[in-house]
Amino acid sequence: MIRKLLFLLLVISIMGACSQQETEENPTEGKNFTLEEVETIITEQGIELDKETDLPSENVFIQELNGITPEVYNVKSHTLSVYDFSSGGDREKGFQRFEENTATAEVVEHRAYQLNNILVFYISDDEKMQNRLFEALEELDASK
């Protein structure tokens, strides 16, 4: 009986340690960001977001991913699309779907940013602007 009790305590201790380690490895899990927060942090960096876009519906960067349609902006004549998923897991599935959809296509130069539930595509080879967007999103992540 004592052996069973000790074994049970050992199992419970191990399970508790594993769940605590998982929480520490994913510290931002559960921190969902809103589209408004993303817009605000980008515009606070001096980046102008223009909602006037005239893109063909076939554009892979504005298509629906797992039921989510992005908000699309014009940034210095380049496309910025922001997907606001309900969770980090849904964002991962959405990005996987994008990868599957474009696996055999020749996709133009772009950069993808993934921040918990947010997926952002900036379609440009302007490295300076890519870095500014990345810094803005990092600042948003650090603020929560």
Side-chain angles (χ1 to χ4, degrees):
M1 181 67 176
I2 292 178
R3 278 184 153 174
K4 288 182 182 179
L5 185 58
L6 287 174
F7 179 74
L8 182 61
L9 286 172
L10 177 66
V11 169
I12 291 172
S13 297
I14 291 172
M15 289 176 60
C18 289
S19 66
Q20 183 177 5
Q21 181 180 5
E22 184 176 312
T23 303
E24 290 171 1
E25 288 174 0
N26 298 319
T28 61
E29 189 64 38
K31 292 181 181 180
N32 284 344
F33 299 101
T34 65
L35 181 62
E36 291 76 26
E37 289 174 314
V38 173
E39 288 176 343
T40 300
I41 199 71
I42 290 173
T43 56
E44 284 177 356
Q45 295 296 319
I47 300 169
E48 188 176 322
L49 297 176
D50 181 9
K51 282 200 171 210
E52 294 297 318
T53 58
D54 187 26
L55 298 170
S57 61
E58 301 84 34
N59 186 317
V60 295
F61 297 102
I62 65 169
Q63 291 183 352
E64 183 179 290
L65 293 176
N66 292 350
I68 303 298
T69 304
E71 282 296 318
V72 182
Y73 308 92
N74 221 343
V75 175
K76 293 193 170 201
S77 302
H78 298 287
T79 304
L80 178 78
S81 58
V82 181
Y83 290 83
D84 183 5
F85 291 96
S86 60
S87 69
D90 288 344
R91 187 240 334 126
E92 287 177 23
K93 291 176 187 173
F95 187 70
Q96 287 175 350
R97 183 73 173 155
F98 174 80
E99 293 285 301
E100 291 167 6
N101 291 347
T102 60
T104 59
E106 287 189 33
V107 181
V108 297
E109 183 75 29
H110 69 282
R111 183 138 179 214
Y113 307 89
Q114 299 183 61
L115 182 63
N116 200 25
N117 63 305
I118 300 293
L119 174 60
V120 178
F121 290 108
Y122 181 57
I123 299 80
S124 172
D125 60 355
D126 181 349
E127 198 170 315
K128 183 178 178 185
M129 183 58 73
Q130 289 173 349
N131 291 336
R132 286 181 64 196
L133 285 167
F134 179 72
E135 289 169 5
L137 294 172
E138 275 188 325
E139 185 175 319
L140 177 62
D141 189 30
S143 71
K144 284 233 175 175

